[in-house]
Amino acid sequence: MALVKQKGTLVGVQYTDYKDIDINSFDAVVVGSGFAGAVCAREFAERGDMRVLVIEKRAHIGGNMYDELDEAGILVHRYGPHIFHTNDGRVFSYLRRFAGWIGYQHNVLADWYGTYLPVPFNKNSMEIAFGKERAAHLTEKLIDVFGDGRKVTINELRAQDDPELREIADFVYKNVFLYYTQKQWGLTPEEVDPSVTARVPVFISRDNRYFQDQYQGMPVRGYTDLFEQMLDYEGIEVCLSTDATSVFELEFEDDSEDAQLSAIKLHDVSFIGPIVYTGPLDELFLARFGRLPYRSLDFVYETYDEEYKLPCGTVNYTVTEDYTRVTEFKHMTGQKAPNTTIMKEYSRAYTDPDAQIPYYAIINDENNAHYERYRRLTESLPNFHPLGRLAEYRYYNMDKIVGLALDLSHGILDERASAQEAAEE
Ligand code: FAD
Ligand code: UDP
Protein backbone atom coordinates (compact mmCIF):
# COMPACT_ATOMS: atom_id res chain seq x y z
CA MET A 1 0.00 0.00 0.00
CA ALA A 2 1.22 3.53 -0.80
CA LEU A 3 2.50 5.76 1.98
CA VAL A 4 0.83 9.13 2.42
CA LYS A 5 3.47 11.85 2.71
CA GLN A 6 1.16 14.85 2.64
CA LYS A 7 -2.23 15.57 1.15
CA GLY A 8 -2.25 14.83 -2.52
CA THR A 9 1.21 13.30 -2.59
CA LEU A 10 1.38 9.55 -2.43
CA VAL A 11 4.30 7.32 -3.12
CA GLY A 12 2.94 5.56 -6.15
CA VAL A 13 -0.57 4.52 -7.09
CA GLN A 14 -2.48 2.93 -4.25
CA TYR A 15 -3.47 -0.61 -5.29
CA THR A 16 -5.97 -2.60 -3.22
CA ASP A 17 -7.61 -5.99 -3.41
CA TYR A 18 -11.35 -5.72 -4.06
CA LYS A 19 -12.19 -8.24 -1.39
CA ASP A 20 -10.47 -6.04 1.23
CA ILE A 21 -12.25 -2.79 0.48
CA ASP A 22 -14.88 -1.21 2.68
CA ILE A 23 -17.29 0.20 0.14
CA ASN A 24 -18.74 2.60 2.74
CA SER A 25 -15.42 4.43 2.79
CA PHE A 26 -15.77 5.56 -0.86
CA ASP A 27 -17.63 8.51 -2.33
CA ALA A 28 -17.33 7.53 -6.00
CA VAL A 29 -16.74 4.42 -8.09
CA VAL A 30 -15.00 4.52 -11.47
CA VAL A 31 -14.90 1.48 -13.75
CA GLY A 32 -11.91 1.48 -16.07
CA SER A 33 -8.57 3.30 -15.88
CA GLY A 34 -8.20 4.59 -19.44
CA PHE A 35 -8.46 8.35 -19.98
CA ALA A 36 -12.22 8.38 -19.31
CA GLY A 37 -11.87 6.69 -15.92
CA ALA A 38 -8.51 8.08 -14.79
CA VAL A 39 -9.41 11.73 -15.45
CA CYS A 40 -12.72 11.38 -13.57
CA ALA A 41 -11.00 9.64 -10.65
CA ARG A 42 -8.37 12.36 -10.41
CA GLU A 43 -10.90 15.19 -10.63
CA PHE A 44 -13.20 13.64 -8.01
CA ALA A 45 -10.26 13.16 -5.64
CA GLU A 46 -8.43 16.41 -6.22
CA ARG A 47 -11.21 18.92 -6.85
CA GLY A 48 -13.96 17.21 -4.87
CA ASP A 49 -11.89 15.79 -2.03
CA MET A 50 -13.67 12.50 -2.66
CA ARG A 51 -12.48 8.98 -1.97
CA VAL A 52 -12.55 7.11 -5.26
CA LEU A 53 -12.54 3.41 -5.97
CA VAL A 54 -11.22 2.52 -9.44
CA ILE A 55 -12.14 -0.95 -10.68
CA GLU A 56 -9.99 -2.15 -13.59
CA LYS A 57 -10.34 -5.52 -15.24
CA ARG A 58 -6.84 -5.64 -16.71
CA ALA A 59 -3.73 -6.27 -14.62
CA HIS A 60 -2.55 -2.67 -15.23
CA ILE A 61 -3.84 0.89 -15.45
CA GLY A 62 -3.90 3.10 -18.56
CA GLY A 63 -6.55 1.46 -20.75
CA ASN A 64 -5.57 1.28 -24.39
CA MET A 65 -2.81 3.81 -23.88
CA TYR A 66 -0.77 1.34 -21.80
CA ASP A 67 2.89 1.13 -22.88
CA GLU A 68 5.87 -0.77 -21.54
CA LEU A 69 9.40 -1.85 -22.44
CA ASP A 70 9.43 -5.08 -24.40
CA GLU A 71 12.08 -7.80 -24.02
CA ALA A 72 14.39 -5.91 -26.35
CA GLY A 73 14.13 -2.76 -24.20
CA ILE A 74 11.96 -0.88 -26.72
CA LEU A 75 8.97 1.12 -25.46
CA VAL A 76 5.91 -0.36 -27.18
CA HIS A 77 2.18 0.36 -27.05
CA ARG A 78 0.34 -2.84 -26.19
CA TYR A 79 -3.09 -1.87 -27.56
CA GLY A 80 -2.31 -0.08 -30.80
CA PRO A 81 -0.18 2.97 -31.62
CA HIS A 82 -1.37 6.07 -29.75
CA ILE A 83 -0.36 9.52 -30.98
CA PHE A 84 -1.72 12.46 -29.04
CA HIS A 85 -3.11 15.35 -31.10
CA THR A 86 -5.63 18.05 -30.30
CA ASN A 87 -6.80 21.58 -30.94
CA ASP A 88 -8.26 21.72 -27.45
CA GLY A 89 -5.88 23.86 -25.39
CA ARG A 90 -7.72 23.04 -22.15
CA VAL A 91 -7.16 19.30 -22.66
CA PHE A 92 -3.50 19.64 -23.54
CA SER A 93 -2.71 21.94 -20.63
CA TYR A 94 -4.52 19.51 -18.32
CA LEU A 95 -2.40 16.60 -19.55
CA ARG A 96 0.78 18.63 -19.19
CA ARG A 97 0.24 18.51 -15.46
CA PHE A 98 1.03 14.79 -15.51
CA ALA A 99 3.80 14.48 -18.11
CA GLY A 100 6.44 16.33 -20.04
CA TRP A 101 5.75 16.06 -23.77
CA ILE A 102 7.96 15.74 -26.80
CA GLY A 103 6.69 17.32 -29.99
CA TYR A 104 6.00 14.53 -32.47
CA GLN A 105 4.38 14.99 -35.87
CA HIS A 106 3.05 11.68 -37.18
CA ASN A 107 3.80 10.76 -40.79
CA VAL A 108 2.10 7.85 -42.53
CA LEU A 109 3.09 6.34 -45.86
CA ALA A 110 0.94 3.97 -47.88
CA ASP A 111 2.87 1.06 -49.34
CA TRP A 112 1.59 1.10 -52.93
CA TYR A 113 3.09 -2.02 -54.46
CA GLY A 114 6.49 -1.10 -52.98
CA THR A 115 6.29 2.66 -53.64
CA TYR A 116 5.46 4.98 -50.76
CA LEU A 117 2.59 7.47 -51.05
CA PRO A 118 2.03 10.02 -48.27
CA VAL A 119 -1.32 9.56 -46.49
CA PRO A 120 -3.58 11.55 -46.33
CA PHE A 121 -3.34 11.55 -50.11
CA ASN A 122 -2.01 15.03 -50.99
CA LYS A 123 -0.21 17.01 -53.69
CA ASN A 124 2.98 15.00 -53.07
CA SER A 125 1.13 11.68 -53.35
CA MET A 126 -0.50 12.92 -56.54
CA GLU A 127 2.94 13.48 -58.17
CA ILE A 128 4.08 9.99 -57.23
CA ALA A 129 0.86 8.40 -58.48
CA PHE A 130 0.30 10.41 -61.68
CA GLY A 131 3.71 11.86 -62.57
CA LYS A 132 4.65 15.51 -62.13
CA GLU A 133 3.04 16.94 -65.24
CA ARG A 134 -0.34 15.24 -64.99
CA ALA A 135 -0.37 15.79 -61.24
CA ALA A 136 0.11 19.55 -61.77
CA HIS A 137 -2.95 19.62 -64.03
CA LEU A 138 -5.10 17.49 -61.75
CA THR A 139 -4.08 19.50 -58.71
CA GLU A 140 -5.13 22.71 -60.49
CA LYS A 141 -8.51 21.11 -61.06
CA LEU A 142 -8.82 20.18 -57.37
CA ILE A 143 -7.86 23.71 -56.35
CA ASP A 144 -10.38 25.25 -58.80
CA VAL A 145 -13.22 23.12 -57.49
CA PHE A 146 -12.46 22.91 -53.76
CA GLY A 147 -9.82 25.57 -53.03
CA ASP A 148 -6.16 25.26 -52.09
CA GLY A 149 -5.48 23.87 -48.63
CA ARG A 150 -8.90 22.18 -48.42
CA LYS A 151 -9.54 18.71 -47.03
CA VAL A 152 -11.99 16.74 -49.15
CA THR A 153 -13.49 13.44 -48.06
CA ILE A 154 -13.25 10.49 -50.40
CA ASN A 155 -17.06 10.40 -50.55
CA GLU A 156 -17.20 14.07 -51.56
CA LEU A 157 -14.59 13.48 -54.24
CA ARG A 158 -16.34 10.42 -55.60
CA ALA A 159 -19.59 12.38 -55.90
CA GLN A 160 -18.05 14.74 -58.51
CA ASP A 161 -19.18 14.51 -62.15
CA ASP A 162 -16.03 15.95 -63.70
CA PRO A 163 -14.12 13.06 -65.39
CA GLU A 164 -10.70 14.21 -64.16
CA LEU A 165 -11.90 14.53 -60.58
CA ARG A 166 -13.46 11.10 -60.98
CA GLU A 167 -10.07 9.81 -62.13
CA ILE A 168 -8.43 11.09 -58.94
CA ALA A 169 -11.31 9.77 -56.83
CA ASP A 170 -11.11 6.33 -58.43
CA PHE A 171 -7.38 6.16 -57.90
CA VAL A 172 -7.56 7.15 -54.23
CA TYR A 173 -10.57 4.92 -53.62
CA LYS A 174 -8.92 1.85 -55.17
CA ASN A 175 -5.39 2.40 -53.91
CA VAL A 176 -5.84 3.99 -50.49
CA PHE A 177 -9.31 3.17 -49.14
CA LEU A 178 -10.83 0.03 -50.59
CA TYR A 179 -8.59 -2.83 -49.45
CA TYR A 180 -7.51 -1.15 -46.20
CA THR A 181 -11.14 -0.55 -45.22
CA GLN A 182 -12.11 -4.10 -46.16
CA LYS A 183 -9.33 -5.45 -43.95
CA GLN A 184 -10.06 -3.04 -41.09
CA TRP A 185 -13.86 -3.33 -41.01
CA GLY A 186 -14.78 -6.33 -43.12
CA LEU A 187 -16.81 -3.76 -45.09
CA THR A 188 -16.33 -1.60 -48.20
CA PRO A 189 -15.86 2.16 -47.80
CA GLU A 190 -19.49 2.61 -48.95
CA GLU A 191 -20.67 0.37 -46.12
CA VAL A 192 -18.83 2.10 -43.25
CA ASP A 193 -20.22 5.23 -41.64
CA PRO A 194 -19.04 8.28 -43.69
CA SER A 195 -17.44 9.76 -40.53
CA VAL A 196 -14.93 6.86 -40.51
CA THR A 197 -13.30 7.46 -43.90
CA ALA A 198 -13.71 11.23 -43.38
CA ARG A 199 -11.00 10.91 -40.70
CA VAL A 200 -8.47 10.58 -43.52
CA PRO A 201 -9.39 13.10 -46.24
CA VAL A 202 -7.68 13.99 -49.53
CA PHE A 203 -5.62 17.02 -48.55
CA ILE A 204 -4.92 19.69 -51.19
CA SER A 205 -1.57 20.55 -49.67
CA ARG A 206 2.12 19.65 -49.50
CA ASP A 207 1.76 18.95 -45.76
CA ASN A 208 2.66 15.26 -45.27
CA ARG A 209 1.60 15.09 -41.62
CA TYR A 210 -1.22 12.72 -40.66
CA PHE A 211 -2.75 15.31 -38.31
CA GLN A 212 -2.75 19.09 -38.52
CA ASP A 213 -3.79 19.80 -34.92
CA GLN A 214 -2.17 22.61 -32.99
CA TYR A 215 -0.85 20.37 -30.21
CA GLN A 216 0.76 17.04 -31.09
CA GLY A 217 3.16 14.91 -29.18
CA MET A 218 4.04 11.99 -26.96
CA PRO A 219 4.51 11.88 -23.19
CA VAL A 220 8.28 11.90 -22.56
CA ARG A 221 8.21 8.97 -20.13
CA GLY A 222 5.37 7.20 -21.90
CA TYR A 223 1.63 6.91 -21.27
CA THR A 224 1.80 4.43 -18.40
CA ASP A 225 3.90 6.86 -16.40
CA LEU A 226 1.38 9.63 -17.18
CA PHE A 227 -1.44 7.45 -15.80
CA GLU A 228 0.63 6.65 -12.71
CA GLN A 229 1.02 10.38 -12.07
CA MET A 230 -2.70 10.93 -12.60
CA LEU A 231 -3.85 8.16 -10.28
CA ASP A 232 -1.20 8.82 -7.64
CA TYR A 233 -3.40 11.00 -5.44
CA GLU A 234 -4.72 10.73 -1.94
CA GLY A 235 -8.17 9.16 -1.86
CA ILE A 236 -7.79 7.11 -5.06
CA GLU A 237 -7.57 3.34 -4.68
CA VAL A 238 -7.26 1.02 -7.66
CA CYS A 239 -8.40 -2.61 -7.80
CA LEU A 240 -6.69 -4.31 -10.73
CA SER A 241 -7.77 -7.58 -12.36
CA THR A 242 -11.33 -6.91 -11.17
CA ASP A 243 -14.20 -7.09 -13.62
CA ALA A 244 -17.06 -4.76 -12.69
CA THR A 245 -19.56 -7.17 -14.17
CA SER A 246 -18.53 -9.75 -11.59
CA VAL A 247 -18.55 -7.41 -8.57
CA PHE A 248 -21.56 -5.22 -9.43
CA GLU A 249 -24.91 -6.55 -8.32
CA LEU A 250 -27.52 -4.93 -10.54
CA GLU A 251 -31.09 -4.34 -9.38
CA PHE A 252 -33.92 -3.59 -11.80
CA GLU A 253 -37.31 -1.95 -11.50
CA ASP A 254 -39.08 -5.19 -12.46
CA ASP A 255 -38.44 -8.52 -14.19
CA SER A 256 -39.17 -7.46 -17.76
CA GLU A 257 -36.43 -7.48 -20.40
CA ASP A 258 -36.51 -3.68 -20.76
CA ALA A 259 -36.72 -3.02 -17.02
CA GLN A 260 -34.43 -0.15 -16.05
CA LEU A 261 -31.66 -0.21 -13.49
CA SER A 262 -32.79 0.81 -10.02
CA ALA A 263 -29.58 0.28 -8.02
CA ILE A 264 -26.03 -1.03 -8.17
CA LYS A 265 -24.74 -2.84 -5.12
CA LEU A 266 -21.09 -3.44 -4.26
CA HIS A 267 -20.31 -5.72 -1.33
CA ASP A 268 -24.09 -5.80 -0.70
CA VAL A 269 -24.32 -2.02 -0.31
CA SER A 270 -26.42 0.08 -2.70
CA PHE A 271 -23.89 2.64 -3.88
CA ILE A 272 -25.40 6.12 -3.94
CA GLY A 273 -22.33 8.17 -4.99
CA PRO A 274 -21.42 8.71 -8.65
CA ILE A 275 -20.54 5.59 -10.64
CA VAL A 276 -18.62 6.36 -13.83
CA TYR A 277 -18.64 3.30 -16.07
CA THR A 278 -16.23 3.17 -19.02
CA GLY A 279 -16.55 -0.48 -20.12
CA PRO A 280 -18.90 -1.85 -22.80
CA LEU A 281 -22.55 -1.40 -21.84
CA ASP A 282 -23.71 -4.65 -23.41
CA GLU A 283 -21.27 -6.55 -21.18
CA LEU A 284 -22.67 -4.90 -18.06
CA PHE A 285 -26.12 -6.20 -18.93
CA LEU A 286 -24.78 -9.63 -19.85
CA ALA A 287 -25.66 -9.02 -23.49
CA ARG A 288 -29.37 -9.46 -22.83
CA PHE A 289 -30.27 -7.82 -26.18
CA GLY A 290 -27.43 -9.57 -28.01
CA ARG A 291 -23.80 -8.45 -28.31
CA LEU A 292 -22.94 -5.05 -29.71
CA PRO A 293 -20.69 -5.49 -32.77
CA TYR A 294 -17.06 -4.41 -32.50
CA ARG A 295 -13.83 -4.98 -34.40
CA SER A 296 -10.95 -6.49 -32.52
CA LEU A 297 -7.23 -6.49 -33.37
CA ASP A 298 -4.30 -8.87 -33.15
CA PHE A 299 -0.84 -7.36 -32.77
CA VAL A 300 2.29 -9.10 -34.00
CA TYR A 301 5.65 -7.70 -32.86
CA GLU A 302 9.01 -8.15 -34.60
CA THR A 303 12.36 -6.99 -33.23
CA TYR A 304 15.34 -6.26 -35.47
CA ASP A 305 19.02 -5.59 -34.80
CA GLU A 306 18.80 -2.46 -36.89
CA GLU A 307 18.39 1.10 -35.73
CA TYR A 308 15.25 1.68 -37.83
CA LYS A 309 13.15 -0.61 -40.01
CA LEU A 310 10.57 1.83 -41.45
CA PRO A 311 10.95 5.29 -43.00
CA CYS A 312 8.34 6.80 -40.64
CA GLY A 313 6.05 6.03 -37.66
CA THR A 314 3.46 4.03 -39.58
CA VAL A 315 3.23 2.37 -42.99
CA ASN A 316 -0.32 1.54 -44.15
CA TYR A 317 -0.71 -1.48 -46.43
CA THR A 318 -3.45 -0.24 -48.68
CA VAL A 319 -3.16 -2.68 -51.60
CA THR A 320 -1.25 -5.73 -50.33
CA GLU A 321 -0.74 -7.88 -47.18
CA ASP A 322 -3.26 -9.20 -44.64
CA TYR A 323 -2.32 -6.69 -41.98
CA THR A 324 -3.55 -3.10 -42.16
CA ARG A 325 -0.52 -1.20 -40.89
CA VAL A 326 2.92 -1.50 -39.37
CA THR A 327 4.18 0.86 -36.70
CA GLU A 328 7.74 1.48 -35.55
CA PHE A 329 7.52 2.90 -32.05
CA LYS A 330 10.94 4.52 -31.91
CA HIS A 331 9.88 7.10 -34.49
CA MET A 332 7.03 8.11 -32.19
CA THR A 333 8.67 7.91 -28.79
CA GLY A 334 12.03 9.34 -29.79
CA GLN A 335 13.77 6.44 -28.03
CA LYS A 336 17.40 5.91 -29.06
CA ALA A 337 18.56 2.30 -29.33
CA PRO A 338 20.63 0.18 -31.72
CA ASN A 339 17.69 -2.23 -32.21
CA THR A 340 14.01 -1.66 -32.98
CA THR A 341 10.56 -3.22 -32.62
CA ILE A 342 7.77 -2.93 -35.16
CA MET A 343 4.14 -4.02 -34.77
CA LYS A 344 1.74 -5.34 -37.40
CA GLU A 345 -2.01 -4.91 -36.89
CA TYR A 346 -4.52 -7.51 -38.03
CA SER A 347 -8.18 -6.60 -37.73
CA ARG A 348 -10.75 -9.26 -36.78
CA ALA A 349 -14.44 -9.62 -36.04
CA TYR A 350 -15.03 -9.49 -32.27
CA THR A 351 -16.53 -12.85 -31.47
CA ASP A 352 -15.09 -13.96 -28.13
CA PRO A 353 -15.29 -11.49 -25.21
CA ASP A 354 -13.25 -13.85 -23.02
CA ALA A 355 -10.27 -13.86 -25.37
CA GLN A 356 -10.56 -10.67 -27.42
CA ILE A 357 -10.70 -6.93 -26.77
CA PRO A 358 -13.41 -4.74 -28.33
CA TYR A 359 -11.34 -1.99 -30.00
CA TYR A 360 -13.64 -0.29 -32.49
CA ALA A 361 -17.40 0.22 -32.28
CA ILE A 362 -18.91 -0.41 -35.72
CA ILE A 363 -20.98 2.71 -36.08
CA ASN A 364 -24.15 2.60 -38.18
CA ASP A 365 -27.85 3.28 -37.59
CA GLU A 366 -28.70 -0.29 -36.66
CA ASN A 367 -25.83 -0.67 -34.17
CA ASN A 368 -26.47 2.79 -32.70
CA ALA A 369 -30.11 1.81 -32.09
CA HIS A 370 -28.93 -1.45 -30.53
CA TYR A 371 -26.63 0.52 -28.23
CA GLU A 372 -29.43 2.99 -27.34
CA ARG A 373 -31.50 0.08 -26.07
CA TYR A 374 -28.76 -0.68 -23.55
CA ARG A 375 -28.26 2.96 -22.67
CA ARG A 376 -31.95 3.41 -21.88
CA LEU A 377 -31.61 0.78 -19.14
CA THR A 378 -29.30 3.16 -17.28
CA GLU A 379 -31.40 6.32 -17.59
CA SER A 380 -33.37 5.72 -14.42
CA LEU A 381 -30.24 5.57 -12.25
CA PRO A 382 -29.09 9.19 -11.93
CA ASN A 383 -25.78 8.34 -10.25
CA PHE A 384 -24.71 6.04 -13.13
CA HIS A 385 -22.68 7.71 -15.88
CA PRO A 386 -21.57 5.79 -18.99
CA LEU A 387 -18.50 7.52 -20.43
CA GLY A 388 -15.89 6.77 -23.06
CA ARG A 389 -15.24 4.93 -26.27
CA LEU A 390 -16.78 1.67 -25.07
CA ALA A 391 -19.58 2.84 -22.77
CA GLU A 392 -20.80 5.39 -25.33
CA TYR A 393 -20.18 3.11 -28.32
CA ARG A 394 -18.33 5.89 -30.18
CA TYR A 395 -15.14 6.37 -32.20
CA TYR A 396 -13.42 8.86 -29.91
CA ASN A 397 -9.82 10.04 -29.98
CA MET A 398 -7.98 10.47 -26.67
CA ASP A 399 -8.33 14.25 -26.53
CA LYS A 400 -12.10 14.07 -26.93
CA ILE A 401 -12.35 11.60 -24.07
CA VAL A 402 -10.22 13.73 -21.77
CA GLY A 403 -12.45 16.74 -22.53
CA LEU A 404 -15.64 14.74 -21.91
CA ALA A 405 -14.24 13.32 -18.66
CA LEU A 406 -13.39 16.83 -17.44
CA ASP A 407 -16.90 18.03 -18.35
CA LEU A 408 -18.64 15.08 -16.70
CA SER A 409 -16.62 15.10 -13.48
CA HIS A 410 -16.88 18.88 -13.09
CA GLY A 411 -20.65 18.72 -13.72
CA ILE A 412 -21.03 16.04 -11.04
CA LEU A 413 -18.89 18.03 -8.60
CA ASP A 414 -20.91 21.21 -9.24
CA GLU A 415 -24.15 19.34 -8.57
CA ARG A 416 -22.74 17.88 -5.37
CA ALA A 417 -21.64 21.33 -4.21
CA SER A 418 -25.10 22.78 -4.91
CA ALA A 419 -26.78 19.88 -3.09
CA GLN A 420 -24.49 20.35 -0.10
CA GLU A 421 -25.19 24.10 -0.02
CA ALA A 422 -28.93 23.46 -0.19
CA ALA A 423 -28.68 20.93 2.65
CA GLU A 424 -26.78 23.40 4.82
CA GLU A 425 -29.35 26.20 4.33
P1 FAD B 1 -10.10 2.59 -22.84
O1 FAD B 1 -8.76 3.16 -23.03
O2 FAD B 1 -10.49 1.41 -23.65
O3 FAD B 1 -10.26 2.25 -21.31
C1 FAD B 1 -11.33 1.48 -20.81
C2 FAD B 1 -10.82 0.72 -19.60
O4 FAD B 1 -11.94 0.08 -18.98
C3 FAD B 1 -9.83 -0.38 -19.97
O5 FAD B 1 -8.70 -0.31 -19.14
C4 FAD B 1 -10.63 -1.68 -19.73
O6 FAD B 1 -9.81 -2.76 -19.30
C5 FAD B 1 -11.55 -1.23 -18.61
N1 FAD B 1 -12.76 -2.05 -18.54
C6 FAD B 1 -13.60 -2.39 -19.55
N2 FAD B 1 -14.60 -3.15 -19.09
C7 FAD B 1 -14.40 -3.28 -17.76
C8 FAD B 1 -15.09 -3.97 -16.73
N3 FAD B 1 -16.20 -4.68 -16.98
N4 FAD B 1 -14.61 -3.93 -15.48
C9 FAD B 1 -13.47 -3.24 -15.19
N5 FAD B 1 -12.78 -2.57 -16.14
C10 FAD B 1 -13.24 -2.59 -17.41
N6 FAD B 1 -6.70 8.03 -30.07
C11 FAD B 1 -5.90 9.10 -30.34
O7 FAD B 1 -6.19 10.22 -29.92
N7 FAD B 1 -4.74 8.93 -31.05
C12 FAD B 1 -4.35 7.71 -31.53
O8 FAD B 1 -3.30 7.59 -32.17
C13 FAD B 1 -5.18 6.59 -31.26
N8 FAD B 1 -4.84 5.37 -31.72
C14 FAD B 1 -5.66 4.32 -31.46
C15 FAD B 1 -5.28 3.07 -31.97
C16 FAD B 1 -6.10 1.98 -31.74
C17 FAD B 1 -5.71 0.64 -32.28
C18 FAD B 1 -7.32 2.13 -31.02
C19 FAD B 1 -8.23 0.96 -30.81
C20 FAD B 1 -7.68 3.36 -30.52
C21 FAD B 1 -6.86 4.47 -30.74
N9 FAD B 1 -7.18 5.71 -30.24
C22 FAD B 1 -6.38 6.79 -30.51
C23 FAD B 1 -8.39 5.92 -29.42
C24 FAD B 1 -8.09 5.76 -27.92
O9 FAD B 1 -7.66 4.43 -27.66
C25 FAD B 1 -9.37 6.07 -27.13
O10 FAD B 1 -9.74 7.40 -27.35
C26 FAD B 1 -9.14 5.88 -25.63
O11 FAD B 1 -8.69 4.59 -25.33
C27 FAD B 1 -10.45 6.10 -24.93
O12 FAD B 1 -10.28 5.97 -23.54
P2 FAD B 1 -11.37 5.20 -22.68
O13 FAD B 1 -11.02 5.43 -21.27
O14 FAD B 1 -12.75 5.58 -23.14
O15 FAD B 1 -11.25 3.68 -23.11
N1 UDP C 1 -8.34 4.42 -44.16
C1 UDP C 1 -8.03 3.77 -45.33
N2 UDP C 1 -6.73 3.78 -45.75
C2 UDP C 1 -5.75 4.40 -45.07
C3 UDP C 1 -6.07 5.08 -43.89
C4 UDP C 1 -7.38 5.04 -43.45
O1 UDP C 1 -8.88 3.16 -45.96
O2 UDP C 1 -4.58 4.38 -45.53
C5 UDP C 1 -9.75 4.42 -43.72
C6 UDP C 1 -10.11 3.12 -42.98
O3 UDP C 1 -11.46 2.83 -43.20
C7 UDP C 1 -9.85 3.51 -41.54
C8 UDP C 1 -10.38 4.93 -41.53
O4 UDP C 1 -9.99 5.47 -42.80
O5 UDP C 1 -10.54 2.66 -40.65
C9 UDP C 1 -9.87 5.80 -40.42
O6 UDP C 1 -8.44 5.78 -40.41
P1 UDP C 1 -7.60 6.14 -39.11
O7 UDP C 1 -6.18 6.13 -39.50
O8 UDP C 1 -8.16 7.38 -38.52
O9 UDP C 1 -7.94 4.90 -38.17
P2 UDP C 1 -7.45 4.54 -36.68
O10 UDP C 1 -6.09 5.12 -36.49
O11 UDP C 1 -8.48 5.12 -35.79
O12 UDP C 1 -7.47 3.04 -36.71
Side-chain angles (χ1 to χ4, degrees), residues 360-372:
Y360 294 92
I362 305 175
I363 293 157
N364 61 38
D365 291 346
E366 188 188 341
N367 297 348
N368 293 350
H370 189 172
Y371 165 77
E372 272 305 307

Side-chain angles (χ1 to χ4, degrees), residues 31-37 55-58 63-65 79-83 85 242-245 277-280 283 297 325 345 359-360 388-390 396-399 401:
V31 175
S33 63
F35 270 129
I55 296 174
E56 169 55 60
K57 111 173 161 184
R58 294 180 187 161
N64 283 350
M65 283 57 68
Y79 304 95
H82 279 75
I83 300 108
H85 57 101
T242 307
D243 191 327
T245 58
Y277 179 82
T278 76
E283 241 178 52
L297 297 170
R325 60 185 174 190
E345 287 177 59
Y359 283 106
Y360 294 92
R389 198 177 55 89
L390 296 165
Y396 285 140
N397 287 334
M398 294 182 277
D399 63 325
I401 292 290

Side-chain angles (χ1 to χ4, degrees), residues 384-401:
F384 183 85
H385 306 277
L387 176 74
R389 198 177 55 89
L390 296 165
E392 296 182 67
Y393 200 69
R394 297 285 290 274
Y395 197 156
Y396 285 140
N397 287 334
M398 294 182 277
D399 63 325
K400 179 77 180 166
I401 292 290

Side-chain angles (χ1 to χ4, degrees), residues 204-400:
I204 309 173
S205 166
R206 294 268 174 206
D207 184 346
N208 281 344
R209 296 171 306 159
Y210 206 57
F211 311 110
Q212 277 69 43
D213 301 65
Q214 192 178 350
Y215 310 102
Q216 306 191 34
M218 301 294 284
V220 175
R221 290 197 303 270
Y223 287 99
T224 303
D225 187 89
L226 183 157
F227 280 88
E228 281 168 356
Q229 302 303 321
M230 203 179 262
L231 291 172
D232 175 0
Y233 198 84
E234 189 182 351
I236 301 178
E237 287 184 45
V238 180
C239 296
L240 294 178
S241 307
T242 307
D243 191 327
T245 58
S246 62
V247 299
F248 276 13
E249 197 186 320
L250 305 188
E251 297 201 335
F252 294 92
E253 288 181 339
D254 55 59
D255 288 337
S256 66
E257 199 189 33
D258 281 302
Q260 295 191 308
L261 260 185
S262 56
I264 295 181
K265 285 182 165 178
L266 289 98
H267 281 313
D268 293 328
V269 177
S270 265
F271 194 79
I272 55 165
I275 301 175
V276 175
Y277 179 82
T278 76
L281 264 198
D282 55 331
E283 241 178 52
L284 183 66
F285 296 105
L286 308 177
R288 66 166 66 167
F289 306 133
R291 292 212 163 275
L292 285 171
Y294 293 93
R295 293 295 284 180
S296 191
L297 297 170
D298 288 339
F299 302 114
V300 175
Y301 297 86
E302 292 169 11
T303 296
Y304 293 89
D305 280 331
E306 293 169 42
E307 198 177 358
Y308 289 101
K309 191 74 186 160
L310 303 180
C312 59
T314 297
V315 174
N316 285 0
Y317 284 81
T318 57
V319 284
T320 58
E321 310 302 345
D322 293 340
Y323 40 85
T324 50
R325 60 185 174 190
V326 183
T327 291
E328 183 166 33
F329 296 102
K330 279 172 62 187
H331 286 287
M332 291 161 32
T333 59
Q335 186 180 357
K336 300 279 172 245
N339 53 349
T340 191
T341 298
I342 62 167
M343 185 183 75
K344 295 177 174 167
E345 287 177 59
Y346 294 85
S347 177
R348 305 260 181 256
Y350 175 66
T351 52
D352 181 359
D354 294 329
Q356 292 177 310
I357 291 174
Y359 283 106
Y360 294 92
I362 305 175
I363 293 157
N364 61 38
D365 291 346
E366 188 188 341
N367 297 348
N368 293 350
H370 189 172
Y371 165 77
E372 272 305 307
R373 210 170 160 203
Y374 280 112
R375 201 191 54 80
R376 275 197 296 275
L377 298 182
T378 70
E379 275 176 348
S380 51
L381 195 59
N383 63 327
F384 183 85
H385 306 277
L387 176 74
R389 198 177 55 89
L390 296 165
E392 296 182 67
Y393 200 69
R394 297 285 290 274
Y395 197 156
Y396 285 140
N397 287 334
M398 294 182 277
D399 63 325
K400 179 77 180 166

Side-chain angles (χ1 to χ4, degrees), residues 58-132:
R58 294 180 187 161
H60 58 73
I61 58 171
N64 283 350
M65 283 57 68
Y66 178 72
D67 53 16
E68 63 180 354
L69 295 182
D70 68 4
E71 283 180 359
I74 305 298
L75 185 65
V76 298
H77 296 180
R78 287 296 181 201
Y79 304 95
H82 279 75
I83 300 108
F84 185 81
H85 57 101
T86 192
N87 285 318
D88 188 334
R90 176 185 70 143
V91 163
F92 191 51
S93 57
Y94 181 73
L95 293 180
R96 285 167 76 165
R97 293 184 51 205
F98 307 105
W101 291 76
I102 47 166
Y104 168 68
Q105 309 281 325
H106 194 47
N107 281 279
V108 176
L109 293 169
D111 183 307
W112 178 52
Y113 305 108
T115 299
Y116 288 133
L117 297 178
V119 179
F121 193 89
N122 63 17
K123 290 180 184 175
N124 300 325
S125 329
M126 189 91 93
E127 286 181 356
I128 299 164
F130 292 95
K132 265 202 159 159

